[in-house]
Amino acid sequence: MVNPLVAMMRRPNERRKRARILELEGRNTVREERFLQIGGIEQWVTIRGQNTANPLLLIIHGGPGSPYTPFNSWLGTWEAEFTVVQWDQRGSGRSFIRSGETAPADLSLQRLVEDGLELAQHLRERFQQPLVLMGSSVGSLIGAIMAKRQPELFAAYMAANVFTSESASESYRLTLERAEHRGDRRTVSELTLIGSDTAAWTPQQAEEVSKHAIKASVGVPDMVYDLMLPALMYAPDLSMADIRAIDRGMKSTLKALQPEYSRFDFEALGYDYALPYIIVQGASDIVSPVTAARRHFKRITAPSKRIVEVAGAGHLVEFADRARFLAELQLVHETTPGRPMS
């Protein structure tokens, strides 16, 4: 677990090290980090890979409002096999900073889906390569809607830390159960006060439950101190002011989106998909619990489907066990032909 004070001391050396890691050289490499016009505003997109002939991987980050672009220096092995595309959604990360740190008035799941599809269309037209779509945590809901809306754009859909109709209530139940087991009366009292009706939670209450769930996740990498904190602190292109702004963006986006995704109608969306559907889940995840993921998986119908439970991992399984996740991505590519553009 990374101590914030230690991280601050190590920050200069780590930033230099990761700047070197992020270098890409060679005739067929691609390294782009820039703003693109998406949905009428400038949004931050990174496109990185060792060979432009490789298939594309488009990552839809979670949070909501938690950009995954700071993890780019962790994904060198992925970039050898895929052209990895990361996108700071509107209201998040550098896109939030670019907008003057104001959450767009039209920030909604629908708007994020439309932005994502616009970006996917651009990538397919530019690279003419199969595009694997990966949605993480709350981003798995955005990705699922994208996959339902325009399946012809994607070779397959992979949901990591999948967000389901039962994820929040199951997370609450498991977190409360663990607090009771360890005799943590303060946490039990706080959770009891919030209550189990997830649709009635405020954004602040949803965040509080998530914090307790992270604390209750033992024996796995801590998603804050082992994953998010070092990714942000050691990113060579982020100042401390940027990191503080990113945190403000997460709070702003949570406030805007939590009421919508907490009441999302999964039945109306449906569980039938016209493309391969894969779930990769940390076996010990209680933020987006694996028990809820299993029930969600049973409802899915698709040309092919599978669920993978990664031992020793909790939330953010893709970064907790990057090698295993890459193996699953490679399997997707090997078993899924590229889908033609319609």
Side-chain angles (χ1 to χ4, degrees), residues 12-30:
N13 286 336
E14 287 290 341
R15 292 180 78 204
R16 287 192 291 270
K17 182 191 301 183
R18 289 165 196 263
R20 291 192 295 270
I21 291 172
L22 285 167
E23 293 175 359
L24 282 173
E25 297 179 357
R27 181 177 179 182
N28 296 318
T29 62
V30 56

Side-chain angles (χ1 to χ4, degrees), residues 3-118:
N3 181 287
L5 293 177
V6 174
M8 183 63 75
M9 293 174 60
R10 297 177 58 185
R11 179 172 154 81
N13 286 336
E14 287 290 341
R15 292 180 78 204
R16 287 192 291 270
K17 182 191 301 183
R18 289 165 196 263
R20 291 192 295 270
I21 291 172
L22 285 167
E23 293 175 359
L24 282 173
E25 297 179 357
R27 181 177 179 182
N28 296 318
T29 62
V30 56
R31 178 183 178 180
E32 297 180 10
E33 292 127 2
R34 61 193 178 98
F35 289 98
L36 296 178
Q37 278 286 330
I38 302 173
I41 66 171
E42 290 189 316
Q43 301 192 44
W44 184 251
V45 176
T46 67
I47 305 174
R48 298 177 47 85
Q50 296 183 17
N51 190 333
T52 53
N54 283 338
L56 294 154
L57 172 66
L58 173 57
I59 299 174
I60 310 298
H61 69 70
S66 176
Y68 292 175
T69 45
F71 285 103
N72 276 339
S73 66
W74 299 35
L75 304 181
T77 54
W78 295 18
E79 294 170 358
E81 307 293 335
F82 292 85
T83 297
V84 180
V85 182
Q86 295 249 45
W87 159 48
D88 289 6
Q89 300 159 19
R90 67 173 62 213
S92 305
R94 287 187 175 275
S95 299
F96 172 74
I97 297 171
R98 187 72 159 193
S99 68
E101 295 198 27
T102 58
D106 61 348
L107 185 57
S108 65
L109 290 176
Q110 172 68 19
R111 181 67 261 182
L112 294 178
V113 167
E114 291 174 359
D115 288 349
L117 289 172
E118 183 178 334

Side-chain angles (χ1 to χ4, degrees), residues 56 58 114-129 131 146 150 152-154 341-342:
L56 294 154
L58 173 57
E114 291 174 359
D115 288 349
L117 289 172
E118 183 178 334
L119 176 58
Q121 183 82 30
H122 165 76
L123 294 169
R124 282 296 302 256
E125 291 175 352
R126 174 181 169 184
F127 289 93
Q128 296 293 307
Q129 297 294 343
L131 175 55
M146 290 171 61
Q150 288 190 247
E152 71 280 359
L153 286 176
F154 309 109
M341 295 285 286
S342 64

Side-chain angles (χ1 to χ4, degrees), residues 168-241:
S169 59
E170 185 76 345
S171 180
Y172 177 88
R173 183 186 70 79
L174 290 171
T175 303
L176 179 59
E177 183 180 276
R178 293 192 181 191
E180 290 172 337
H181 180 73
R182 66 177 183 267
D184 185 347
R185 285 185 283 183
R186 179 176 178 178
T187 296
V188 170
S189 176
E190 290 175 356
L191 290 173
T192 302
L193 185 62
I194 291 171
S196 61
D197 183 1
T198 61
W201 290 353
T202 65
Q204 293 75 21
Q205 288 173 326
E207 183 179 26
E208 191 66 25
V209 173
S210 291
K211 288 179 179 178
H212 285 304
I214 294 167
K215 180 182 176 182
S217 301
V218 296
V220 298
D222 185 289
M223 65 170 283
V224 174
Y225 292 105
D226 290 325
L227 302 175
M228 289 301 304
L229 176 66
L232 286 164
M233 290 289 286
Y234 301 154
D237 59 339
L238 293 179
S239 67
M240 290 305 299

